[in-house]
């Protein structure tokens, strides 16, 4: 009988060629002694040949065998090793499968939640409908309005949670409150009682609501109602003046952060679309359609939206071609006309400023007249005289700007921005003029030695609680602006639509339907938001009123857009407009910081009202609170407020800013080079195709 082992020179090599060394001659396996020592003998045989690594490889190879372990012809110790490794591999594979399954479930959950949250977005369907019918330019206005609604509501929650609600709870629960400052011997500066004495007439209640006077001054609406107290419990202390100031500052910082983040997003989009000469049409034609849409209504809106965007591109291309074809004489004539029209615009704005200043001064004088006080209509008109003048200037002058800008022959994007800049300067500067008039009256033109300001540090005779007076002016501006929007929609836009539809008179038909002017409408809401920012410190509930106001305006504007307005004759690109709108909003935020910070750091707070009565300045509350902290915390905050921290921080910030500017410049040059190379390749390809043909 022939054995395979006879042809193998090395008795320790496996006969089937597995390259695993083994002992070819084994003792009989019939005895129990061998069965007990087989593992040890097998291990010693392997170790004697130096095959530990080979055994490990062999065991790993056995793991791939699908047969049960009991069918394998291996020693028991090795079977145990194989079984343990298989169990570990099974557990590891099970964990990996579970992790993959969890990951798939998490992706499905995020996708489902994202789809559900899309339906919770405020006015989502309405914005899609507006964009489909009137283009993304008009849609950008409503998107911007939605952003302001959400921001105002969020900041109201902040102010309500840290200022209004704690004061309500302290009053209702009758907690013991400790006054942080007491009245001095000078009792004249501490007299403040806005409630009228005696019998009131029937219209006084309505007057108080519209003007924020009387009983309204002693509500949570205005600054003067809040007290300079602190609530101390066993393990709780709440300083009302400190909470009032810090919450207001955080409100401004959050508004800045919110607006900057949205501006950066718009800036990225504008950078992508501002120089799209090579991809503008191809993106719209080949990549502008969403093939996942199934609803016929959405498909129709998307078609109209792409149509509007292509119309914008064609109009801009046409205007750029016309501008490039101008002769030298035509350019000189246009530049001369632009200089004259800009001088005319500056004169109009200067006249509006003078009217605002005079109306503010005369309004304060007329309200002291007894004949005006006894007449409801005269008192109401006198109280709203600055608001009326500001609104009239903001309503009349932009129409003149829109007419004059047509003669200056700018590109549509430049025309929109220049109109916005003029209107922004008019509106924000008119607010600045109103605040200057109030400051002049409150501080006696900055002269504390004046007879009216010498006793209390401010004009106590005309302004017993000057912070509430400023809040009242912002309150009246907001109400009057809201009433103006409603009156224009109800008494101008709707009658104009009816006259155009039902009257065949030639002048009325030439007048035509109302055109939805996006720059003017955007400026209206930016103006209202700036008023809200300025008045929030002096009227804490103003963000809530502004949220309600913008919420109603959204539906009123939507109604007048679909009922009264026609599509614009000249459309514009929404990507660049959105970024510019946010820049104007940042400008309004910067303007609102000036009066608030000046009041906090420089002006003497009212001694008869408010949470900062008895302080030299409002900022003194922060310094007093820091001094009461433990030594380590006090030294830390004093270091942050010192020049040793501010100057290095300013230097590092400047260095980082210059680095980012250099990086941006290098990226811009690189992008320009790449675009020129693409254009060159395109021209080469066109030339070669023509040559071969």
């Amino acid at each position: 009988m022939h054995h395979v082992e006879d042809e193998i020179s090395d008795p320790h090599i496996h006969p089937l060629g597995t390259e695993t060394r083994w002992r070819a001659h084994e003792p009989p396996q019939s005895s129990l002694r061998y069965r007990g020592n087989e593992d040890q003998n097998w291990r010693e045989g392997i170790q004697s040949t130096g095959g530990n690594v080979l055994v490990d490889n062999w065991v790993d190879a056995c793991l791939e065998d699908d047969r049960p372990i009991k069918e394998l012809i291996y020693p028991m110790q090795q079977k145990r090793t194989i079984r343990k490794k298989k169990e570990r591999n099974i557990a590891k594979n099970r964990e990996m499968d579970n992790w993959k399954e969890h990951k798939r479930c998490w992706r499905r959950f995020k996708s489902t939640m994202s789809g559900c949250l899309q339906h919770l977005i405020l006015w989502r369907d309405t914005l899609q409908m507006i964009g489909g019918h009137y283009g993304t330019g008009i849609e950008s206005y409503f998107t911007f309005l939605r952003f302001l609604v959400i921001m105002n509501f969020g900041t109201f929650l902040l102010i309500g949670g840290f200022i209004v609600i704690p004061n309500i709870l302290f009053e209702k629960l009758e907690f013991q409150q400790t006054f942080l400052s007491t009245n001095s011997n000078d009792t004249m500066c501490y007299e403040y009682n806005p409630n009228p004495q005696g019998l009131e007439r029937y219209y006084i209640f309505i007057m108080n609501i519209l003007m924020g006077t009387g009983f309204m001054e002693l509500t949570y609406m205005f600054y003067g109602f809040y007290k300079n107290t602190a609530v101390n419990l066993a393990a709780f202390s709440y300083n009302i003046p400190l909470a009032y100031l810090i919450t207001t500052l955080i409100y401004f910082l959050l508004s800045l952060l919110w607006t900057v983040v949205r501006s950066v997003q718009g800036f990225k989009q504008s950078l992508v679309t501002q120089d799209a000469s090579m991809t503008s049409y191809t993106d719209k034609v080949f990549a502008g359609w969403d093939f996942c849409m199934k609803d016929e209504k959405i498909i129709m809106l998307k078609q109209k939206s792409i149509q509007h965007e292509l119309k914008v591109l064609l109009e801009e291309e046409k205007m750029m071609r016309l501008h490039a074809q101008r002769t030298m004489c035509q350019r000189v004539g246009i530049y001369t006309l632009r200089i004259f029209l800009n001088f005319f615009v500056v004169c109009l704005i200067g006249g509006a400023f003078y009217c605002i200043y005079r109306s503010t001064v005369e309004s304060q004088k007329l309200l002291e007249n007894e004949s005006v006080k006894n007449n409801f209509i005269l008192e109401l008109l006198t109280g709203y005289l600055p608001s009326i003048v500001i609104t009239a200037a903001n309503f009349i002058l932009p129409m003149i700007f829109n007419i004059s800008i047509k003669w200056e022959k700018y590109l549509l994007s430049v025309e929109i921005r220049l109109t916005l800049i003029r209107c922004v300067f008019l509106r924000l500067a008119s607010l600045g003029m109103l605040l200057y008039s109030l400051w002049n009256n409150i501080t006696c033109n900055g002269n504390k030695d004046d007879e009216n300001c010498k006793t209390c540090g401010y004009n106590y005779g005309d302004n017993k609680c000057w912070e509430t007076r400023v809040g009242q002016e912002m309150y009246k501006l907001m109400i009057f602006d809201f009433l103006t929007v409603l009156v224009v929609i109800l008494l101008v836009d709707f009658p104009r639509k009816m006259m155009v539809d039902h009257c065949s008179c030639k002048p009325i038909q030439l007048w035509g339907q109302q055109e939805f002017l996006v720059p003017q409408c955007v400026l209206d809401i930016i103006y209202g938001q700036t008023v809200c920012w300025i008045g929030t410190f002096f009227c804490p509930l103003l963000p809530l009123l502004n949220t309600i106001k913008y919420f109603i305006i959204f539906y009123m504007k939507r109604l007048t857009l679909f009922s009264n307005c026609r599509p614009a004759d000249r459309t514009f690109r929404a990507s660049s407009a959105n970024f510019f709108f946010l820049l104007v909003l940042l400008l309004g935020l910067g303007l609102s910081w000036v009066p608030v910070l000046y009041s906090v750091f420089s002006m003497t707070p009212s001694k008869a009202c408010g949470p900062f009565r008895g302080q030299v300045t409002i900022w003194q509350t922060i310094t007093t609170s820091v001094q009461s902290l433990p030594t380590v915390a006090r030294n830390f905050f004093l270091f942050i407020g010192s020049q040793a921290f501010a100057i290095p921080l300013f230097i590092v910030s400047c260095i980082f800013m210059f680095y980012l500017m250099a990086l941006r410049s290098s990226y811009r040059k690189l992008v320009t080079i790449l675009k020129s190379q693409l254009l060159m390749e395109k021209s080469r390809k066109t030339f070669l195709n023509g040559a071969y043909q």
Side-chain angles (χ1 to χ4, degrees):
M1 184 176 180
H2 178 73
H3 295 279
V4 178
E5 291 88 340
D6 296 340
E7 299 178 1
I8 301 176
S9 59
D10 192 348
H12 295 93
I13 295 179
H14 196 279
L16 299 180
T18 58
E19 297 182 358
T20 303
R21 305 181 68 84
W22 71 324
R23 291 192 306 170
H25 302 282
E26 297 179 352
Q29 302 180 6
S30 59
S31 64
L32 294 176
R33 180 179 180 183
Y34 170 77
R35 295 177 184 177
N37 298 329
E38 62 177 354
D39 294 341
Q40 181 178 359
N41 295 335
W42 181 85
R43 189 181 305 109
E44 290 177 356
I46 294 296
Q47 291 178 355
S48 62
T49 58
N52 286 335
V53 178
L54 295 175
V55 170
D56 292 338
N57 295 334
W58 176 57
V59 172
D60 293 337
C62 292
L63 293 176
E64 300 177 359
D65 196 341
D66 295 334
R67 291 181 299 170
I69 297 178
K70 64 181 181 180
E71 296 182 4
L72 300 178
I73 308 176
Y74 301 122
M76 291 300 298
Q77 183 65 25
Q78 204 58 22
K79 288 183 178 182
R80 293 191 188 100
T81 304
I82 294 172
R83 185 179 66 251
K84 290 180 181 179
K85 286 194 175 185
K86 280 192 173 184
E87 290 176 353
R88 285 198 297 267
N89 289 342
I90 292 173
K92 187 183 299 183
N93 293 334
R94 188 180 295 113
E95 292 178 359
M96 182 64 65
D97 293 339
N98 292 336
W99 179 79
K100 291 180 179 179
E101 183 64 26
H102 288 316
K103 191 174 181 180
R104 286 193 295 268
C105 293
W106 175 246
R107 284 199 299 265
R108 287 196 297 267
F109 175 75
K110 287 197 301 182
S111 178
T112 305
M113 290 302 298
S114 176
C116 294
L117 291 176
Q118 288 293 325
H119 295 284
L120 298 178
I121 295 176
L122 187 63
W123 300 318
R124 172 175 171 265
D125 297 335
T126 303
L127 293 176
Q128 288 181 351
M129 184 182 301
I130 293 171
H133 284 90
Y134 294 94
T136 55
I138 295 179
E139 182 188 356
S140 64
Y141 163 75
F142 289 92
T143 305
F144 187 66
L145 185 58
R146 181 183 64 181
F147 164 70
L148 293 181
V149 169
I150 297 174
M151 184 175 66
N152 279 284
F153 183 72
T155 50
F156 160 70
L157 293 179
L158 176 67
I159 293 176
F162 290 95
I163 297 179
V164 180
I165 294 178
N167 281 273
I168 295 175
L169 292 178
F170 297 155
E171 292 290 336
K172 298 299 181 181
L173 299 178
E174 297 181 354
F175 287 160
Q176 184 179 0
Q177 301 185 25
T178 304
F179 285 89
L180 301 178
S181 62
T182 57
N183 296 347
S184 63
N185 297 328
D186 190 5
T187 58
M188 186 191 75
C189 297
Y190 292 88
E191 295 178 358
Y192 177 64
N193 185 17
N195 281 327
Q197 303 297 324
L199 184 64
E200 295 184 2
R201 300 187 179 184
Y202 68 93
Y203 62 84
I204 296 297
F205 180 78
I206 300 176
M207 180 69 70
N208 291 336
I209 293 177
L210 293 177
M211 299 187 64
T213 56
F215 78 94
M216 287 288 291
E217 297 184 32
L218 297 179
T219 60
Y220 294 99
M221 178 68 68
F222 291 103
Y223 165 94
F225 177 76
Y226 297 91
K227 300 177 181 179
N228 61 334
T229 58
V231 176
N232 298 312
L233 299 177
F236 176 77
S237 178
Y238 198 86
N239 191 321
I240 294 177
L242 183 63
Y244 194 100
L245 180 58
I246 291 179
T247 303
T248 305
L249 296 178
I250 292 176
Y251 161 70
F252 277 108
L253 291 177
L254 285 179
S255 299
L256 175 63
L257 181 62
W258 209 330
T259 308
V260 166
V261 169
R262 192 174 179 88
S263 301
V264 169
Q265 295 175 354
F267 181 66
K268 291 179 180 179
Q269 188 176 4
S270 64
L271 282 179
V272 173
T273 58
Q274 69 179 358
D275 188 12
S277 57
M278 296 180 295
T279 60
S280 56
Y281 297 102
T282 55
D283 286 344
K284 298 295 183 298
V285 174
F286 296 106
W289 188 256
D290 186 1
F291 290 92
C292 296
M293 295 185 299
K294 297 181 180 180
D295 191 355
E296 294 182 359
K297 184 178 179 181
I298 298 177
I299 291 174
M300 184 178 62
L301 293 176
K302 185 65 176 179
Q303 289 174 348
K304 292 182 178 180
S305 177
I306 295 176
Q307 180 182 357
H308 281 289
E309 292 176 359
L310 291 175
K311 183 179 177 181
V312 171
L313 294 172
L314 293 173
E315 287 184 356
E316 290 184 352
E317 192 72 23
K318 179 180 177 181
M319 292 297 297
M320 292 176 63
R321 187 168 60 251
L322 291 176
H323 286 195
Q325 294 175 356
R326 287 175 181 168
T327 62
M328 182 61 68
C329 295
Q330 291 176 342
R331 293 180 181 179
V332 171
I334 288 176
Y335 291 151
T336 305
L337 182 61
R338 288 176 181 177
I339 293 173
F340 172 75
L341 291 176
N342 280 284
F343 178 75
F344 176 69
V345 167
V346 171
C347 292
L348 289 177
I349 294 175
F353 291 165
Y354 178 76
C355 293
I356 293 170
Y357 176 78
R358 294 304 305 171
S359 64
T360 307
V361 175
E362 296 299 329
S363 174
Q364 186 69 24
K365 294 180 180 179
L366 291 174
L367 286 175
E368 302 296 330
N369 195 336
E370 293 296 332
S371 60
V372 174
K373 288 183 177 180
N374 297 327
N375 192 312
F376 173 75
I377 301 298
L378 288 179
E379 186 177 1
L380 185 63
L381 291 176
T382 304
Y384 274 88
L385 184 60
S387 302
I388 292 173
V389 174
I390 291 175
T391 304
N394 294 334
F395 182 76
I396 296 173
L397 293 185
M399 291 192 299
I400 300 176
F401 297 161
N402 289 329
I403 295 174
S404 65
I405 198 69
K406 303 295 183 183
W407 294 89
E408 300 183 36
K409 304 296 182 181
Y410 289 107
L411 289 174
L412 181 58
S413 57
V414 178
E415 179 180 319
I416 292 173
R417 293 177 183 179
L418 186 59
T419 304
L420 270 176
I421 289 173
R422 291 173 178 175
C423 296
V424 164
F425 181 75
L426 171 65
R427 296 202 173 214
L428 299 185
S430 63
L431 281 178
M433 183 58 65
L434 175 63
L435 293 171
Y436 172 77
S437 303
L438 293 174
W439 172 83
N440 192 18
N441 180 263
I442 294 170
T443 63
C444 302
N445 200 15
N447 184 14
K448 292 186 178 181
D449 295 331
D450 190 271
E451 183 179 354
N452 295 326
C453 298
K454 189 173 183 180
T455 304
C456 302
Y458 57 93
N459 190 352
Y460 174 80
D462 296 337
N463 308 280
K464 293 180 174 58
C465 185
W466 64 264
E467 294 93 346
T468 299
R469 169 69 193 287
V470 177
Q472 288 171 350
E473 292 296 332
M474 300 299 109
Y475 174 79
K476 289 187 289 185
L477 280 175
M478 178 174 291
I479 291 179
F480 195 78
D481 181 64
F482 176 64
L483 294 177
T484 303
V485 173
L486 295 183
V487 167
V488 169
I489 292 175
L490 297 176
L491 300 182
V492 177
D493 294 342
F494 278 103
R496 178 176 176 178
K497 169 69 173 177
M498 296 177 63
M499 291 172 63
V500 171
D501 290 344
H502 299 90
C503 183
S504 59
C505 183
K506 193 83 170 185
I508 294 178
Q509 293 299 323
L510 290 176
W511 189 24
Q513 291 184 357
Q514 172 73 24
E515 182 178 337
F516 196 89
L517 301 176
V518 175
Q520 181 67 26
C521 295
V522 169
L523 195 57
D524 290 339
I525 58 177
I526 291 177
Y527 166 77
Q529 185 61 41
T530 305
V531 170
C532 177
W533 276 327
I534 294 174
T536 299
F537 181 77
F538 312 102
C539 184
L541 292 182
L542 214 57
L544 176 61
L545 298 181
N546 209 35
T547 303
I548 299 173
K549 168 189 167 184
Y550 284 157
F551 196 86
I552 297 174
I553 286 178
F554 183 92
Y555 285 101
M556 296 299 295
K557 288 290 185 180
R558 175 184 175 274
L559 178 63
T560 189
L561 175 66
F562 284 97
S563 302
N564 306 325
C565 297
R566 58 182 172 83
D569 293 331
R570 302 178 65 188
T571 55
F572 66 96
R573 184 175 296 165
S575 57
S576 59
N578 286 332
F579 174 63
F580 192 74
F581 294 161
L582 291 168
L583 282 183
V584 177
L585 186 64
L586 283 174
L587 182 62
L589 179 60
L591 175 66
S592 64
W593 282 16
V594 175
V596 175
L597 294 180
Y598 182 81
S599 302
V600 169
F601 288 100
S602 300
M603 296 185 66
T604 303
S606 298
K607 298 182 179 180
C609 67
F612 305 102
R613 66 189 78 175
Q615 304 282 352
V616 178
T617 59
I618 295 176
W619 186 252
Q620 186 181 358
T621 302
I622 299 293
T623 58
T624 304
S625 301
V626 170
Q627 293 297 331
S628 62
L629 294 174
T631 305
V632 177
R634 182 174 66 251
N635 293 335
F636 174 74
F637 284 108
L638 290 177
F639 172 73
I640 290 179
S642 64
Q643 296 180 355
F645 177 79
I647 294 177
L649 179 64
F650 177 75
I651 295 174
V652 172
S653 301
C654 291
I655 294 173
F656 184 69
M657 182 183 66
F658 285 122
Y659 167 74
L660 292 179
M661 292 174 63
L663 192 63
R664 183 196 64 177
S665 178
S666 62
Y667 283 157
R668 179 177 295 177
K669 291 180 181 179
L670 180 61
V671 169
T672 304
I673 294 172
L674 292 175
K675 286 182 178 180
S676 63
Q677 290 179 358
L678 288 175
L679 288 174
M680 187 179 298
E681 292 294 331
K682 179 182 177 182
S683 61
R684 287 179 179 176
K685 187 179 295 185
T686 304
F687 175 75
L688 291 175
N689 290 334
Y692 282 116
Q693 292 177 358

